[in-house]
Amino acid sequence: MEFEAVIRSRRSIRRFRGEGIPDSLVAELVDLARHAPSSMNGQPWHFVVVRSEESKARLAEIKNRYCPPEKRAYQADFLRRAPLIVLVCVDRERSYGREVENGVLATATLLLAAHRRGLGAVYMSAYAADAPGLAEEIRQLFGIPAGVVPITMIPMGRPGEVPAAKQLSNLEKMIHLERF
Ligand SMILES: Cc1cc2nc3c(=O)[nH]c(=O)nc-3n(C[C@H](O)[C@H](O)[C@H](O)COP(=O)(O)O)c2cc1C
């Protein structure tokens, strides 16, 4: 798929077919994700690949528990049914105070790379500044060292749904020439 088409057609996928995803394909995605920009070129990333049913269920439970009331429509139960979940983590020491940005940029690259290879995925936060317990519980669950912070969790697999068309916000209202 041509690069622009990858960007334009990527959508969040929350239903997956049962098909397994080989480790080699996950390694290709991580190989691409590590090309993302990072503060001071720290490349602080660690990627934890989660396939165990028990771990997926624990993640869903933690994510649901930290879900604020206004976002209850986005229940995390579907995490249990994803063939795998990639936790994108960053090493604080190599993040230069930009943990979230570093993690999010690698995640964006990972999402596009996954879509380009026909995989469905969706962005989910593993870190919330106003709820530090979320990242902390995830860190403990997966034996992540104290100086490494989980930033996102990305369930992925072969898509089992075609999302309804998305209405994009108006381009003219977003662009401001010289001044807002
Ligand atoms: C910071 C952030 C947090 C998100 N959190 C969730 C989430 O907790 N659960 C979920 O199902 N989707 C989550 N999403 C996915 C968004 O709902 C989705 O990107 C948005 O509705 C636009 O749809 P699209 O990705 O198909 O273009 C999140 C996306 C971002 C960028």
Side-chain angles (χ1 to χ4, degrees), residues 10-14 63 67 71 74-76 78 121-125 163 166:
R10 183 218 53 81
R11 295 298 310 279
S12 290
I13 297 296
R14 301 178 180 87
K63 187 70 181 152
C67 184
K71 293 185 180 170
Y74 283 110
Q75 284 288 308
F78 68 88
V122 56
Y123 183 114
M124 295 181 79
S125 302
K166 180 168 86 169

Side-chain angles (χ1 to χ4, degrees), residues 8-23:
R8 289 182 190 278
S9 60
R10 183 218 53 81
R11 295 298 310 279
S12 290
I13 297 296
R14 301 178 180 87
R15 281 175 190 270
F16 306 96
R17 302 207 301 263
E19 232 170 288
I21 309 299
D23 283 336

Side-chain angles (χ1 to χ4, degrees), residues 6-159:
V6 174
I7 294 174
R8 289 182 190 278
S9 60
R10 183 218 53 81
R11 295 298 310 279
S12 290
I13 297 296
R14 301 178 180 87
R15 281 175 190 270
F16 306 96
R17 302 207 301 263
E19 232 170 288
I21 309 299
D23 283 336
S24 56
L25 181 46
V26 179
E28 284 176 33
L29 302 181
V30 170
D31 175 32
L32 289 164
R34 72 195 168 116
H35 286 265
S38 58
S39 178
M40 300 287 287
N41 193 26
Q43 301 179 32
W45 304 293
H46 291 276
F47 300 85
V48 182
V49 181
V50 178
R51 293 179 185 274
S52 128
E53 301 297 324
E54 192 190 332
S55 295
K56 288 187 276 189
R58 294 282 302 277
L59 261 181
E61 185 277 317
I62 293 171
K63 187 70 181 152
N64 279 337
R65 192 152 35 78
Y66 280 91
C67 184
E70 69 276 14
K71 293 185 180 170
R72 287 274 147 80
Y74 283 110
Q75 284 288 308
D77 299 338
F78 68 88
L79 285 174
R80 296 163 175 265
R81 296 181 289 277
L84 64 91
I85 301 169
V86 179
L87 292 176
V88 181
C89 309
V90 298
D91 187 333
R92 272 194 203 283
E93 267 192 11
R94 290 185 288 133
S95 287
Y96 300 92
R98 297 288 182 268
E99 288 79 6
V100 174
E101 294 90 329
N102 289 331
V104 167
L105 280 164
T107 300
T109 309
L110 188 77
L111 289 172
L112 290 172
H115 176 53
R116 166 69 178 75
R117 280 164 170 68
L119 295 179
V122 56
Y123 183 114
M124 295 181 79
S125 302
Y127 174 88
D130 56 357
L134 172 63
E136 183 55 25
E137 287 197 36
I138 294 171
R139 192 181 69 71
Q140 287 182 15
L141 179 59
F142 295 99
I144 298 168
V148 176
V149 196
I151 301 294
T152 62
M153 55 176 101
I154 310 300
M156 59 172 72
R158 295 287 167 198

